[in-house]
Amino acid sequence: MEDKIAQLRQMIADSDNIVFFGGAGVSTESGIPDFRSVDGLYNQKWKYPPETILSHSFFERDPEEYYRFHREKLVVDGVKPNRAHLRLAQLEQEGKLKAVITQNIDGLHQAAGSKNVLELHGSILRAYCSRCRRPYPAEEMNKGQGVPRCACGGVIRPDIVLYEEPLDNDIVRSAIAYIRNADILIIGGTSLNVYPAAGLINYYRGKKLVLINLSETPYDSYADLIIHEKIGEVFSRV
């Protein structure tokens, strides 16, 4: 473990073109549950499977049930950036980290001070009307009771990518460009099983691929450095 931390520390010291690609495991140390672990949202019992509730068609069909799930399971009050978020923001300030590409919707990277954050799946901290597209404060969506509605009568929705919806083309193109041109690509806190987001790492052309995750991933055989440890612990030491 110590040797791997030292290796990563040296890689970071020698580079000023690092890109970080992260998933749910980056935020679990802040108290936000992931979706696919034993204790994650996808293994809890609901009237409908979470994958169904978090789909575009379900949101259109039953927004009241969607919002019951949304407010109880997606909105986590009082969370703060952890050691991984804070160190990544510091690396950006030092001119080493060029972009954070995240699958998370919690906004913790920005809360930690990161400026160039590409949110592949959107953010729970933004909302807009599903009919007229007017933006709304997230509080109107994340708090209260029932279905929030716009002045036009449309249902206010979170600015997140629901199942059955495509990723934002501009964000995907930008993420591909950063990954393709990176000297070091650090992937952390993700099982790399969620597509199309996970497929973006196939655009990496460098020879310094780092994987930091508690469990194995389908891309371990391609990595130049693998650390099976909590990501906050790793970044607190680099």
Side-chain angles (χ1 to χ4, degrees):
M1 176 66 176
E2 291 299 329
D3 289 345
K4 290 186 175 182
I5 293 290
Q7 185 179 348
L8 177 58
R9 188 183 299 122
Q10 189 62 53
M11 291 169 70
I12 291 173
D14 293 341
S15 178
D16 61 359
N17 186 10
I18 304 168
V19 170
F20 178 79
F21 181 100
V26 179
S27 292
T28 53
E29 290 176 60
S30 292
I32 296 179
D34 70 18
F35 277 26
R36 291 175 171 77
S37 69
V38 174
D39 298 318
L41 295 183
Y42 283 3
N43 289 305
Q44 298 178 18
K45 293 183 179 180
W46 282 78
K47 184 177 180 181
Y48 303 94
E51 296 96 327
T52 299
I53 298 173
L54 294 172
S55 68
H56 174 82
S57 56
F58 187 90
F59 180 85
E60 293 283 310
R61 183 173 70 252
D62 194 346
E64 185 169 354
E65 180 68 10
Y66 168 85
Y67 268 111
R68 188 175 75 85
F69 180 90
H70 177 104
R71 292 178 180 128
E72 184 169 337
K73 290 300 178 183
L74 299 189
V75 179
V76 183
D77 292 325
V79 294
K80 296 181 179 179
N82 60 52
R83 294 174 293 179
H85 298 109
L86 295 170
R87 181 60 177 135
L88 287 166
Q90 186 178 35
L91 288 172
E92 182 186 60
Q93 293 165 8
E94 294 170 0
K96 291 184 169 296
L97 185 72
K98 299 306 180 187
V100 168
I101 302 167
T102 181
Q103 300 174 78
N104 297 337
I105 60 174
D106 50 49
L108 287 178
H109 284 293
Q110 292 92 327
S114 290
K115 304 299 183 185
N116 192 21
V117 181
L118 304 180
E119 296 172 312
L120 295 173
H121 296 148
S123 174
I124 199 174
L125 303 180
R126 298 188 300 269
Y128 64 92
C129 173
S130 57
R131 179 185 295 174
C132 72
R133 311 292 292 189
R134 174 183 175 184
Y136 272 87
E139 288 76 13
E140 296 194 24
M141 167 186 67
N142 293 334
K143 305 298 180 182
Q145 301 291 325
V147 178
R149 291 191 178 273
C150 174
C152 77
V155 175
I156 297 172
R157 60 157 289 171
D159 188 10
I160 62 175
V161 179
L162 298 170
Y163 285 100
E164 304 166 352
E165 295 179 335
L167 301 183
D168 182 278
N169 285 331
D170 290 338
I171 293 176
V172 169
R173 280 194 293 267
S174 185
I176 289 172
Y178 278 113
I179 290 172
R180 180 179 281 142
N181 295 317
D183 173 35
I184 301 175
L185 177 59
I186 301 176
I187 300 172
T190 173
S191 61
L192 293 175
N193 286 318
V194 179
Y195 287 84
L200 295 179
I201 71 169
N202 291 318
Y203 290 94
Y204 181 57
R205 296 293 179 263
K207 296 182 179 179
K208 298 175 184 175
L209 177 61
V210 180
L211 289 179
I212 307 170
N213 198 52
L214 286 174
S215 59
E216 295 181 356
T217 80
Y219 288 82
D220 280 16
S221 61
Y222 300 100
D224 300 286
L225 177 62
I226 302 172
I227 302 176
H228 291 307
E229 183 58 75
K230 288 184 177 181
I231 191 164
E233 175 65 21
V234 172
F235 272 103
S236 71
R237 298 166 66 183
V238 296

